[in-house]
Amino acid sequence: MKNDSLTSKAAGGFIWKFLEKFVSTGVQFVLGIVLANLILPKEYGIVGELVIFTQICDVIILQGLTSALIQKKNADQVDFSSVFFANLVVSAALYLILIAASPLMVMYFKQPVLRKMMPIFGLIVIIGGFGAVPNAVLSKALDFKKSFFRNLSNYCVQAVVGITCALMGCGAWSLVWSKLSGTLVGVIVLVITVGWKPSKTFSFARIKSLFSYGSKVLVTNLLNTIFNNIQPLIVGGVYSSDMLGQYQRGQQMPSALMSAVDGSLSEVLFPTLSNVQDQKDRLKAMMRRSMTVSMFLVFPFLWGLIATAKPLIMVLINDNWLPCVPFMQLTCVICMFWPLNARTQALNAMGKSNVTMKVSIISKTMTVIMVLVSIRISIYAMMISSIIASTITFWITSYYVNKYIGYTLSEVLKDIAVPLSMSAGMAGIVYCVKFLGLSDLLTLLIQVPLGIAVYISASKLFHIDSLDYILSMVKRLLNRKKEA
């Protein structure tokens, strides 16, 4: 009975988290398209250089002590309050470091405007420090409904402010004010809706205890974030802000889709698996289910983007952004490895954060070396090296997941094979539409519904379990809403 309740709660959490990601991704998508027609690629690249460093700061605040709060079974008010105050101190320190480092950023990227932008844009880090613990409260309770409203307000404000500033001719500053205002409103809504308040307590002993676990998760996620940003960092320094803008635009759409689906599952999965960390068989079953559902949903999106990339950019933006097409296609391939990262969530939930840290250190060190070598060849060689590195990381992770959870490599490959084959086949059919010689708009209008129809038909024809599971969970949740 307890297991059924947890499964239902997790499914409900995923629905709300997916709705949150879907709506926010939609708003970001529309905002990105509008701004791409108002702002030059170079201006996108300038702000992208700032984002690299604030994302690293966000990980330090959100993934260290905060992750330990979620994983700890008996976390109390003293734990939450101690982490809250610790996060405020850390966020303030990180902000000062960003300000001090801004002259070095100007020298590396050769963009003097960064010195003026960083003190303002960097305030995002301090604002995030106030929202980290309330967000952990929601995650631990699997109450993602409130998180939905937080992010909805965040991105709606971003859209209004960003478009208004762009129309006023603010250029790159439009993105700065957009992100800052949205983050501020989002945290305010989060604090109000959660209703959690820190008490006047602080325990170094609790922080030390939480840090013993959280430090390993932090190192793992920090390495992942640095790795994810090492390429934009190199592109912006070795090439130009214009090239960086094209590179990041190509990454944006696949990454947004992955965040909407796979990101939703990952955020729900960690607190859910933490509840069954002592039940190995159940943990494996839940992790495997989450992986297959995630791949069933994201693989067709990614393969579809590969097939429709050029007409999509031409229709939605303009030919100024045409160089981002190959970046988008290669990013889609890289993103196909993301659902496999759910396996490390299971290791973390079991308290094996030292294992995931070790895997991350090995894989990221190898990846950075490959990137630094390949960038001398071309920017495309750099992205291909990332695909090779992701493949190697997949094999390394598979060894440890089999060792501690019993999820064998043959089981993983079996779970991957079906959605991968169906999605690739669908993309091949969709791509052939371009040979009809139609306009970009008409080509896209045919490709999208054709791809959806082919994939759903194949799923029904081969009786894909993930489709039935998704439909059954949606029906169950709808029926529960009606009964309530």
Side-chain angles (χ1 to χ4, degrees):
M1 190 73 175
K2 184 178 179 181
N3 286 340
D4 291 338
S5 176
L6 180 61
T7 301
S8 180
K9 196 172 183 180
F14 169 70
I15 294 296
W16 275 108
K17 180 55 68 172
F18 176 73
L19 184 60
E20 169 199 322
K21 295 285 187 180
F22 181 79
V23 173
S24 62
T25 299
V27 173
Q28 284 183 294
F29 177 75
V30 173
L31 175 62
I33 295 302
V34 174
L35 292 181
N37 285 282
L38 298 172
I39 297 176
L40 297 174
K42 179 181 178 180
E43 294 170 325
Y44 254 98
I46 291 174
V47 178
E49 292 159 358
L50 296 174
V51 172
I52 292 171
F53 299 99
T54 56
Q55 282 184 345
I56 294 173
C57 293
D58 285 343
V59 170
I60 295 174
I61 297 170
L62 296 174
Q63 299 296 333
L65 295 173
T66 309
S67 292
L69 278 177
I70 298 173
Q71 196 271 343
K72 186 175 180 179
K73 281 188 172 183
N74 57 342
D76 57 20
Q77 180 67 7
V78 177
D79 291 307
F80 281 92
S81 295
S82 298
V83 172
F84 177 79
F85 292 118
N87 277 343
L88 293 185
V89 173
V90 171
S91 62
L94 290 172
Y95 175 74
L96 294 177
I97 291 172
L98 288 177
I99 301 303
S102 58
L104 297 177
M105 298 178 197
V106 171
M107 291 175 58
Y108 180 74
F109 292 111
K110 301 177 181 63
Q111 294 293 341
V113 71
L114 293 178
R115 188 177 302 217
K116 295 180 179 179
M117 285 183 170
M118 182 53 82
I120 297 175
F121 195 79
L123 290 172
I124 291 172
V125 176
I126 294 181
I127 296 171
F130 284 92
V133 171
N135 190 64
V137 172
L138 294 185
S139 295
K140 198 169 182 66
L142 297 178
D143 186 2
F144 295 102
K145 182 177 180 179
K146 293 175 182 176
S147 179
F148 166 77
F149 292 109
R150 182 273 303 269
N151 283 287
L152 178 62
S153 60
N154 179 346
Y155 292 115
C156 285
V157 169
Q158 280 195 45
V160 172
V161 173
I163 294 173
T164 301
C165 290
L167 291 173
M168 294 172 62
C170 296
W173 281 97
S174 304
L175 300 172
V176 173
W177 295 117
S178 171
K179 181 67 174 178
L180 181 63
S181 58
T183 302
L184 177 60
V185 171
V187 169
I188 291 173
V189 171
L190 176 66
V191 171
I192 293 174
T193 54
V194 172
W196 177 86
K197 294 180 181 180
S199 57
K200 296 179 181 179
T201 56
F202 183 85
S203 171
F204 281 106
R206 298 293 183 91
I207 292 295
K208 183 179 179 180
S209 174
L210 290 167
F211 190 72
S212 65
Y213 169 86
S215 61
K216 300 178 183 68
V217 177
L218 172 60
V219 170
T220 300
N221 286 289
L222 195 57
L223 285 172
N224 288 335
T225 302
I226 292 174
F227 160 71
N228 291 335
N229 284 289
I230 195 70
Q231 295 181 20
L233 187 65
I234 293 173
V235 171
V238 175
Y239 292 95
S240 64
S241 295
D242 181 76
M243 180 64 76
L244 178 59
Q246 298 284 0
Y247 176 82
Q248 291 183 319
R249 169 56 60 184
Q251 285 188 317
Q252 190 175 44
M253 199 174 298
S255 298
L257 287 171
M258 289 303 299
S259 177
V261 181
D262 187 62
S264 303
L265 278 169
S266 295
E267 290 185 42
V268 176
L269 189 61
F270 176 54
T272 303
L273 293 181
S274 294
N275 283 300
V276 294
Q277 57 185 278
D278 300 323
Q279 304 172 43
K280 185 176 177 180
D281 290 340
R282 181 159 174 75
L283 184 144
K284 175 185 173 181
M286 293 179 69
M287 177 195 64
R288 191 172 184 181
R289 170 63 73 183
S290 72
M291 253 190 52
T292 54
V293 170
S294 181
M295 290 185 294
F296 176 79
L297 291 172
V298 302
F299 277 9
F301 277 121
L302 295 173
W303 279 100
L305 273 179
I306 291 174
T308 63
K310 185 176 180 295
L312 188 66
I313 293 300
M314 291 298 294
V315 170
L316 295 180
I317 315 180
N318 51 59
D319 55 6
N320 287 332
W321 291 93
L322 207 53
C324 80
V325 169
F327 297 140
M328 179 186 293
Q329 293 170 324
L330 288 170
T331 300
C332 285
V333 178
I334 294 172
C335 284
M336 290 181 195
F337 289 90
W338 284 23
L340 300 171
N341 291 336
R343 299 178 300 166
T344 60
Q345 295 283 13
L347 291 173
N348 285 336
M350 294 177 67
K352 300 293 183 182
S353 56
N354 60 319
V355 175
T356 57
M357 182 180 70
K358 180 165 62 175
V359 171
S360 185
I361 291 173
I362 295 172
S363 63
K364 301 318 177 192
T365 300
M366 171 191 63
T367 301
V368 170
I369 293 173
M370 293 177 66
V371 166
L372 291 176
V373 172
S374 59
I375 193 64
R376 299 174 183 273
I377 302 173
S378 72
I379 189 172
Y380 303 110
M382 181 190 72
M383 296 191 73
I384 292 172
S385 73
S386 293
I387 297 173
I388 296 172
S390 295
T391 304
I392 297 173
T393 301
F394 162 75
W395 295 104
I396 295 174
T397 305
S398 296
Y399 168 78
Y400 287 103
V401 171
N402 182 32
K403 179 179 179 180
Y404 291 105
I405 303 175
Y407 189 14
T408 66
L409 179 60
S410 60
E411 289 176 321
V412 175
L413 294 176
K414 180 181 178 181
D415 291 339
I416 294 174
V418 175
L420 183 64
S421 301
M422 289 199 312
S423 299
M426 175 272 293
I429 295 172
V430 166
Y431 184 77
C432 291
V433 176
K434 64 169 284 188
F435 298 114
L436 296 178
L438 305 172
S439 66
D440 290 321
L441 177 59
L442 191 54
T443 297
L444 197 62
L445 290 175
I446 294 174
Q447 285 179 322
V448 173
L450 176 62
I452 294 172
V454 168
Y455 191 75
I456 293 178
S457 299
S459 300
K460 288 184 174 293
L461 179 64
F462 295 108
H463 305 288
I464 303 303
D465 178 62
S466 293
L467 177 62
D468 295 332
Y469 178 79
I470 292 170
L471 293 176
S472 66
M473 292 307 299
V474 171
K475 289 179 182 177
R476 185 187 304 179
L477 289 170
L478 290 175
N479 290 333
R480 192 172 65 182
K481 291 293 183 182
K482 289 179 181 179
E483 292 173 2

